[in-house]
Amino acid sequence: MAVADTPIHLTRAAHVGISVSDLDASIAFYRALTGNDPVVADETMHSVPFGRSQGLPTAKLRYATINLDNSLGIDLIQFQDPVGEPTRGAANRPGSMHLCFKVDDLDAVHRRMADAGYDFLGAPYTFLPGEVTPDAALGTKVAYFNDPDGTNLEIIQPQGGFAN
């Protein structure tokens, strides 16, 4: 795909949409993760034009939205028609994404999450000298886990000038 060099200036995110296989299970997961109730819960839509706007023949779906404290919404969308195949979105697969949650004390949050039964993909990690340029990220701590459908999620405790 060729894209012109003209800046478009899209600089503010409104929400992130995550396709899910079971809306109720995903609402429970994200409610427990964020502590926030959905602002939209179990809305439905059935529209051929909306489906076509997404490159699908139709769209019959249920969805919910959980807002984060910084006003970013997480839209959880269960397509009922057409039902899609799982992406199995490993971090290294082009087109996969991750959603990152900023925390003040990664070790404490990680411990609470592990005690609550969240499965992490690996141990928490701290960026070390020689691994990352520029040095602004040195000391930043991260840990990765998945939601029930395998969407990549991260918790991060930025350090120094790393404003992520």
Side-chain angles (χ1 to χ4, degrees):
M1 166 184 5
V3 177
D5 289 335
T6 305
I8 306 298
H9 301 290
L10 300 179
T11 60
R12 294 182 297 156
H15 67 268
V16 59
I18 301 174
S19 292
V20 302
S21 61
D22 180 335
L23 182 63
D24 299 317
S26 292
I27 289 172
F29 177 88
Y30 283 95
R31 179 186 282 136
L33 187 66
T34 65
N36 295 341
D37 288 323
V39 294
V40 172
D42 203 13
E43 295 284 327
T44 61
M45 173 184 259
H46 190 182
S47 171
V48 169
F50 179 73
R52 288 185 180 152
S53 76
Q54 295 194 9
L56 302 169
T58 188
K60 181 179 179 186
L61 54 91
R62 296 173 59 215
Y63 68 95
T65 300
I66 295 179
N67 284 341
L68 301 178
D69 293 345
N70 62 354
S71 298
L72 180 74
I74 301 173
D75 286 355
L76 304 170
I77 308 159
Q78 179 184 348
F79 281 87
Q80 298 171 312
D81 183 27
V83 174
E85 293 293 320
T87 62
R88 296 174 184 82
N92 65 337
R93 293 185 182 203
S96 69
M97 55 80 67
H98 74 268
L99 174 60
C100 182
F101 297 91
K102 192 175 191 178
V103 300
D104 293 326
D105 184 342
L106 187 129
D107 295 327
V109 172
H110 182 270
R111 193 169 30 260
R112 281 197 323 270
M113 291 176 69
D115 289 347
Y118 290 85
D119 292 324
F120 284 87
L121 301 176
Y125 183 76
T126 303
F127 290 102
L128 301 171
E131 292 182 330
V132 62
T133 306
D135 288 341
L138 291 181
T140 293
K141 296 179 180 182
V142 296
Y144 298 90
F145 59 106
N146 289 333
D147 77 1
D149 288 298
T151 300
N152 298 310
L153 303 173
E154 173 186 6
I155 53 176
I156 188 169
Q157 178 186 335
Q159 294 297 313
F162 192 61
N164 193 2

